[in-house]
Amino acid sequence: AETGFKKALEIENAPAPLEALGKIKFRLASERKDTGMLFSASVFFERALLLNPYSASAYRDLSAVYCTAGEEKLLTGLQERKKKIFKAGKQ
């Protein structure tokens, strides 16, 4: 599955394959207890948010990565970014 999503990214840098790759990496990292792979997953979610800052699923999954990694500062920063984006969208 990972290979297919990577090929999709070669065609178009889009949020959906980035989020899918992040989910794959997150699942593998959780199973293997691999902190380095957790941060690989976070890169995919961050890239997805750059392309679509309104993706609730990317925020949720990235929050899970930061919680699992024990990164409270990153989690707090993410929550603040999310508040700003969704507040800006309501104006």
Side-chain angles (χ1 to χ4, degrees):
E2 185 175 353
T3 303
F5 288 116
K6 285 183 178 180
K7 285 183 183 181
L9 278 178
E10 290 173 10
I11 296 168
E12 180 183 6
N13 190 29
L18 287 166
E19 287 187 48
L21 285 165
K23 288 176 192 230
I24 291 168
K25 293 285 186 191
F26 180 55
R27 182 178 300 146
L28 288 172
S30 297
E31 290 172 1
R32 297 176 183 172
K33 309 281 191 241
D34 185 336
T35 305
M37 193 177 290
L38 277 175
F39 288 102
S40 292
S42 73
V43 170
F44 288 111
F45 295 127
E46 289 284 7
R47 285 177 56 196
L49 286 171
L50 287 173
L51 295 172
N52 178 12
Y54 297 99
S55 175
S57 62
Y59 282 108
R60 180 195 62 234
D61 293 334
L62 187 54
S63 292
V65 169
Y66 290 154
C67 282
T68 302
E71 291 291 338
E72 292 300 318
K73 280 183 143 180
L74 292 174
L75 181 60
T76 300
L78 178 66
Q79 291 167 340
E80 290 300 316
R81 284 190 288 158
K82 182 179 176 184
K83 285 179 191 174
K84 287 179 186 176
I85 290 295
F86 284 101
K87 182 178 180 181
K90 291 182 180 182
Q91 294 178 349

